[in-house]
Each structure stands twice: as structure tokens, then as C-alpha cells.
Amino acid sequence: MYHTHRILGALIFCCLISCNDTDDTVMAGCGFDNPRQELPWLKARIDSMARSTSPDMVYCYVVQGTYENRTVFRFEDCNPVIDKAIFTLNCDGNQIDSDQGFTSRQDIKNLKIIWKPENFACPIDF
């Protein structure tokens, strides 16, 4: 009985020290601590995606990074059957890609996924 209590106590202790209130998908940018929640156009788009009932939504995700020392966002899709154009947006929600082509993911630094659905279907690792 004593052994069981020690194991249970150790498990509870491990759970408590491993929990924290920080969200590892939060990344400051655009003058906000959490643009995903504080930048109105970005929050609206992510909220819309989160409410979507489309079966394709399991492939969609949003990344934040730095391009030419500015915060940028990309609404990406990892569906292996569809090739979608991915646009890079600035803090105002405007596309920064030029007529010469799209901004390459390789040109964006500090990439981090800031939103993905709960049932995300892609093995993405930055």
C-alpha cells in the first residue's frame, strides 16, 4: 500500500511540474505580445478557420516568422493531394509577395506554427 502511494504521489508531482500556463504557439510580433489573439484581422481569420467544418481543414495551419526584419504570417496547407498557392502577409494583412513570385518559406526566419486544428493531419516540424 505504501509503495502504491509513493508511485501515485510521484506521478502527481511530475504532472504538476510539467504543467505550465505558457502557450508555446504564442510569438510576439506586430507590436503585440500575442498577435494571434490581439491582431484583429489575424484573429478573425484564425477563428473562422477554427469554426470551419470542411474536411480539408485538417491540413491547414498558420505560421508566423520574420522576413526582412518584419513579422509575417502564412496560411499554409499540407494536403499531399492539392498544390495551393501560399501567400505571405504583413502585419496589416496585406500580401507582400510580388509580381515576380511568392516569398519562399526558406527566406522566412524563425518560423513557428501559431495555429493548427486539434485534428491536424500533417507531421510538420520546424
Side-chain angles (χ1 to χ4, degrees):
M1 179 88 166
Y2 176 72
H3 184 63
T4 305
H5 285 149
R6 287 184 71 191
I7 292 173
L8 182 59
L11 286 173
I12 291 171
F13 177 75
C14 288
C15 288
L16 289 175
I17 65 170
S18 67
C19 295
N20 62 48
D21 291 334
T22 62
D23 183 347
D24 62 356
T25 61
V26 174
M27 189 168 145
C30 301
F32 296 100
D33 291 330
N34 183 351
R36 183 180 82 190
Q37 292 295 323
E38 299 174 272
L39 196 56
W41 70 265
L42 182 61
K43 181 177 179 354
R45 284 190 70 172
I46 289 174
D47 288 350
S48 175
M49 291 170 66
R51 286 189 307 269
S52 175
T53 57
S54 168
D56 292 331
M57 192 54 62
V58 298
Y59 301 108
C60 298
Y61 60 107
V62 182
V63 296
Q64 179 179 334
T66 305
Y67 177 72
E68 295 182 349
N69 295 319
R70 294 189 177 123
T71 300
V72 294
F73 305 94
R74 290 169 60 96
F75 290 75
E76 299 197 359
D77 187 302
C78 56
N79 189 330
V81 191
I82 299 172
D83 187 20
K84 288 185 180 178
I86 305 297
F87 300 100
T88 305
L89 307 174
N90 64 16
C91 289
D92 295 324
N94 298 319
Q95 184 177 334
I96 65 167
D97 305 292
S98 68
D99 293 336
Q100 291 77 36
F102 297 106
T103 304
S104 168
R105 175 186 268 206
Q106 288 76 20
D107 294 332
I108 301 174
K109 308 298 180 219
N110 306 315
L111 280 172
K112 185 171 190 177
I113 296 175
I114 61 168
W115 180 85
K116 62 186 176 189
E118 288 182 23
N119 56 345
F120 193 48
C122 305
I124 305 284
D125 186 29
F126 295 146

